[in-house]
């Protein structure tokens, strides 16, 4: 199935990814056509465009403008967005 | 915050938090928490070990959301001071390539007596592993890094 064309008011949203998710997508950020929506909308879009990360994404948090966001929180078109998978520092 | 070299930032009076991309100097981390009022001083180093679950590790790689990791490390450090009545605490995490035997993380705590300094260092390490957005990759040879995203870990940020 071909992806639907982006709506005319869509802009490019860059989403930072790290560690195993960066390895899965072959880069450190995703570029998505985005015309606004919630964190949950963004999760669904990422899972459609990058099905290879869907399982890890389901276990990940989303940070918007430097703070962890709930699934219902809005993501503006100019937001600073990062996907934070389960951590393993120390 | 110094990100590209060793620990160059002057420690604040009650310690500091930093991410670095070069070898951690333990003496600098410990010195940052020394104070005439502190009788107990603890320094913990987490070092890259050569074997994990029976598999040889050549080196570790660490990735991070740097701004969120630095802010979280500093918040944890300050929480530890208040929670355990510390004199000071300092936390340094190394990012990038960490050869076997070298330190990936250093935590120093000081307090009037040893009990709170030991307890705070253990608490800080547990919280760093639980909530700071830093990821470890194991280089087991073969040119591939095995990034660690534990199945048992809660979703970061305490989300649903």
């Amino acid at each position: 199935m071909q992806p639907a064309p982006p709506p005319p008011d869509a802009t490019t949203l860059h989403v930072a990814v790290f560690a195993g998710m960066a390895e899965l997508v072959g880069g450190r950020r995703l570029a998505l056509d985005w015309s606004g929506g919630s964190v949950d909308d963004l999760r669904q879009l990422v899972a459609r465009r990058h099905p290879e990360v869907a399982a890890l994404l389901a276990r990940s948090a989303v940070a918007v403008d430097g703070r962890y966001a709930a699934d219902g929180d809005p993501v503006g078109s100019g937001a600073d967005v990062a996907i934070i998978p389960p951590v393993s520092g120390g | 915050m110094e990100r590209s070299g060793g620990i160059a930032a002057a420690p604040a009076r009650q310690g500091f938090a930093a991410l670095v991309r070069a070898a951690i100097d333990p003496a600098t981390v410990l010195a940052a928490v020394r104070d005439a009022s502190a009788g107990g001083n603890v320094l913990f180093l987490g070092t890259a070990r050569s074997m994990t679950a029976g598999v040889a590790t050549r080196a570790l790689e660490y990735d991070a959301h740097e701004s969120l990791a630095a802010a979280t490390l500093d918040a944890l450090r300050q929480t530890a001071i208040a929670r355990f009545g510390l004199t000071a605490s300092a936390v340094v995490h190394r990012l990038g390539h960490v050869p076997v035997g070298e330190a990936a993380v250093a935590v120093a705590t000081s307090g009037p007596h040893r009990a709170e300094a030991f307890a705070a260092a253990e608490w800080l390490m547990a919280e760093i592993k639980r909530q700071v957005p830093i990821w470890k990759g194991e280089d087991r040879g073969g040119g591939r890094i095995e990034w660690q995203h534990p199945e048992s870990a809660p979703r970061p940020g305490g989300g649903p």
Side-chain angles (χ1 to χ4, degrees), chain A residues 16-24 28 39 43 55-71 80-90, chain B residues 46 60 62-68 72 93 104-105 125 128-137 144-158 160:
Chain A
V17 294
F18 302 92
M21 196 173 284
E23 182 178 77
L24 287 168
R28 294 185 64 81
V39 167
R43 287 179 178 277
L56 185 54
L57 176 62
R59 299 196 289 124
S60 299
V62 176
V64 178
D65 296 329
R67 312 187 79 142
Y68 291 108
D71 281 350
D80 172 14
V81 181
I83 299 174
I84 310 292
V87 303
S88 54
Chain B
L60 297 178
Y62 286 90
D63 192 12
H65 183 309
E66 291 195 27
S67 60
L68 193 51
T72 308
H93 205 300
V105 61
M125 279 307 304
I128 288 167
K129 286 175 170 286
R130 194 174 72 80
Q131 56 169 309
V132 178
I134 295 177
W135 300 276
K136 170 167 45 188
R144 190 160 173 275
I145 306 295
E146 298 277 344
W147 291 104
Q148 305 297 306
H149 298 296
E151 296 278 350
S152 58
R155 192 190 268 190

Side-chain angles (χ1 to χ4, degrees), chain B residues 42-122:
Chain B
V42 168
L43 172 66
F44 172 82
L45 299 179
T47 53
R49 66 172 172 263
S50 60
M51 298 284 285
T52 292
V55 179
T57 300
R58 287 162 50 126
L60 297 178
E61 293 282 334
Y62 286 90
D63 192 12
H65 183 309
E66 291 195 27
S67 60
L68 193 51
T72 308
L73 283 177
D74 197 53
L76 287 172
R77 184 189 73 72
Q78 295 190 46
T79 299
I81 290 174
R83 182 179 173 127
F84 294 91
L86 299 180
T87 306
S89 67
V91 181
V92 180
H93 205 300
R94 186 171 174 182
L95 302 179
H97 185 78
V98 180
V100 163
E102 295 193 12
V105 61
V107 166
T109 55
S110 65
H113 307 283
R114 74 179 185 279
E116 59 266 30
F118 273 118
E122 170 60 24

Side-chain angles (χ1 to χ4, degrees), chain A:
Chain A
M1 189 179 76
Q2 289 295 312
D9 58 343
T11 56
T12 301
L13 181 71
H14 294 287
V15 176
V17 294
F18 302 92
M21 196 173 284
E23 182 178 77
L24 287 168
V25 302
R28 294 185 64 81
R29 67 178 196 174
L30 312 176
L32 302 167
D33 293 318
W34 184 248
S35 50
S38 67
V39 167
D40 191 54
D41 295 331
L42 180 64
R43 287 179 178 277
Q44 293 181 36
L45 178 61
V46 171
R48 280 201 304 276
R49 295 292 164 83
H50 298 278
E52 68 276 19
V53 307
L56 185 54
L57 176 62
R59 299 196 289 124
S60 299
V62 176
V64 178
D65 296 329
R67 312 187 79 142
Y68 291 108
D71 281 350
D73 289 350
V75 180
S77 57
D80 172 14
V81 181
I83 299 174
I84 310 292
V87 303
S88 54

